[in-house]
Amino acid sequence: MDDTTETQKPTSNRIKRLHLLGIVLTIFGIALFAYFIYSIGFREIWDGIKRFGFDGFAVIVVLFFVRLLTRAYAWTLTVHPPYTLTLKDTVPAMMIGEAMSSTIPLGFFASGTAKAVAVRNRLPLVAGLSSVATENLFYSLTTGLFLIGGAAVLLRGFAVDENVALTLNAVIITLAALIVLGVTMVIREWHIASGICNWVYKRGILHDLLGKWRFDVRRFEDLIYGFYRHFPRRFVPICLLQMTYHLLGIVEVGFILYRLTGVTPTLMTAFLLESISRFITVIFKLIPFTIGVDEAGAQFIGETVALAAGVGVTLAIIRRGRIFFWTAMGMIMIIKRGLSLSEITKTIRP
């Protein structure tokens, strides 16, 4: 048996275990979704969807496309010369990545690779993967700050259960520590990931798996740190674009609440609902479309800020409809580009 087969075995086993976990969590999410539909009542939710209307749905579809443009443009700024990408390249690739991320339990693994594969006719795969990773780092930074803000507002502005307060404080501390560590790593150019890989490799652990990956990890670190050294002036524009992505999410929530209730919601209410939705998306990425858990989070915040019964769940369902629409668009792009899941998974294997 050759080294490649030996290397693929542990990777394949881990993917199978994650896939099984994703299936279990998906079943749990569907059961949770059914519970909320039953407890609130199908008719009440349906009436809310009818009040929102097709014209309202068209607005949030367009609004999400603008959000997509902000991240697609941010991606173009992370590409190293002599290579370049334009919005014509990155927008379809972002749609493909969103579709992969939303539909399959392991979508968060395949999404970034799918984006790089989608633009492989414009730049080499390694350059594409490094640019995707760099854009994701900026997105993660702004998302972390966004989540810290949401948790802080919820703690300071509302009376929450003691256990919830402990959890939120833990989230704030953890995210703050990760952000500080990440920024410090980039500024000081700490090769922590490749260092850990080398340390594990030298002790004979995962020897076959890390035989090649430890060099790939080092190369990725060098590419990311090289971006910091050579293009520091791009940092602020990229961060502003990522922040705009989150701000437009707040606008979307506010618009949906206005259509459902007829009352203009406060900025705090829209901010909390969007930040909790983003947190759930990050934590429960193994569940396709975050079905069930998104409704749970929206219902919790809805009750906390005294929204009418069922409004939070209806909001989550309407937003999922928008996700379905753009997932369908992404699938069309996948078919048009002739991509396949097997091609993408082959790309991410060592």
Side-chain angles (χ1 to χ4, degrees):
M1 188 176 293
D2 59 23
D3 290 341
T4 303
T5 304
E6 290 292 338
T7 301
Q8 289 177 350
K9 272 190 174 182
T11 306
S12 177
N13 289 337
R14 279 190 297 276
I15 291 177
K16 286 179 180 178
R17 285 195 292 269
L18 282 172
H19 187 68
L20 179 60
L21 177 61
I23 292 173
V24 172
L25 289 175
T26 300
I27 294 172
F28 168 75
I30 292 172
L32 197 59
F33 177 78
Y35 166 76
F36 280 112
I37 296 293
Y38 172 78
S39 62
I40 293 169
F42 176 79
R43 181 174 295 277
E44 183 173 345
I45 293 173
W46 179 246
D47 287 343
I49 293 173
K50 287 195 295 183
R51 283 196 303 275
F52 187 68
F54 284 108
D55 55 337
F57 186 73
V59 169
I60 65 172
V61 164
V62 173
L63 190 57
F64 185 77
F65 181 72
V66 178
R67 296 179 70 190
L68 203 68
L69 283 175
T70 63
R71 288 198 65 186
Y73 186 56
W75 182 9
T76 65
L77 297 179
T78 64
V79 179
H80 290 247
Y83 308 108
T84 59
L85 289 177
T86 66
L87 286 176
K88 186 178 179 181
D89 305 311
T90 58
V91 170
M94 289 293 295
M95 292 168 62
I96 289 171
E98 288 291 320
M100 295 292 292
S101 178
S102 298
T103 54
I104 60 176
L106 294 178
F108 64 98
F109 282 135
S111 174
T113 306
K115 295 175 189 176
V117 171
V119 296
R120 66 191 184 282
N121 62 323
R122 295 283 296 159
L123 71 167
L125 185 61
V126 172
L129 288 170
S130 66
S131 66
V132 170
T134 303
E135 190 274 331
N136 280 334
L137 284 175
F138 281 100
Y139 173 73
S140 299
L141 170 64
T142 55
T143 300
L145 295 173
F146 187 67
L147 296 182
I148 288 174
V153 168
L154 188 57
L155 276 174
R156 304 295 179 263
F158 300 91
V160 295
D161 180 81
E162 184 178 349
N163 291 328
V164 174
L166 287 173
T167 301
L168 291 174
N169 280 311
V171 168
I172 291 173
I173 293 171
T174 302
L175 288 175
L178 289 174
I179 289 172
V180 171
L181 176 62
V183 171
T184 304
M185 282 177 59
V186 173
I187 293 176
R188 302 298 296 272
E189 299 189 18
W190 291 345
H191 292 79
I192 294 179
S194 57
I196 292 174
C197 288
N198 281 325
W199 184 86
V200 173
Y201 176 81
K202 289 177 180 178
R203 279 151 183 78
I205 304 171
L206 301 177
H207 197 272
D208 294 321
L209 177 65
L210 295 176
K212 178 177 180 294
W213 271 17
R214 58 198 177 102
F215 299 112
D216 292 336
V217 172
R218 175 73 185 213
R219 185 164 48 193
F220 271 106
E221 288 175 327
D222 289 338
L223 285 169
I224 292 170
Y225 298 153
F227 180 83
Y228 166 73
R229 288 194 305 271
H230 295 107
F231 308 104
R233 292 184 179 180
R234 296 187 187 182
F235 273 45
V236 171
I238 294 173
C239 286
L240 289 175
L241 287 165
Q242 302 291 5
M243 289 169 63
T244 301
Y245 176 87
H246 295 300
L247 289 174
L248 289 174
I250 297 174
V251 172
E252 180 185 78
V253 171
F255 173 74
I256 296 174
L257 288 178
Y258 174 74
R259 296 283 296 213
L260 291 177
T261 65
V263 178
T264 302
T266 65
L267 178 61
M268 182 181 294
T269 297
F271 173 60
L272 285 175
L273 282 162
E274 171 62 8
S275 61
I276 290 299
S277 175
R278 189 60 40 200
F279 177 74
I280 287 171
T281 300
V282 172
I283 298 299
F284 294 98
K285 202 62 176 175
L286 276 174
I287 302 179
F289 300 105
T290 57
I291 186 167
V293 291
D294 213 4
E295 283 76 11
Q299 180 70 358
F300 168 73
I301 294 299
E303 292 175 350
T304 302
V305 299
L307 288 177
V311 170
V313 172
T314 306
L315 176 137
I317 292 173
I318 289 172
R319 298 187 86 188
R320 182 168 297 105
R322 181 261 292 159
I323 295 173
F324 283 148
F325 175 88
W326 282 110
T327 297
M329 295 299 101
M331 289 298 179
I332 292 173
M333 290 293 174
I334 289 173
I335 295 170
K336 186 177 178 180
R337 298 294 180 91
L339 300 178
S340 66
L341 183 59
S342 60
E343 179 183 2
I344 294 168
T345 45
K346 283 179 183 177
T347 303
I348 62 179
R349 285 175 184 168

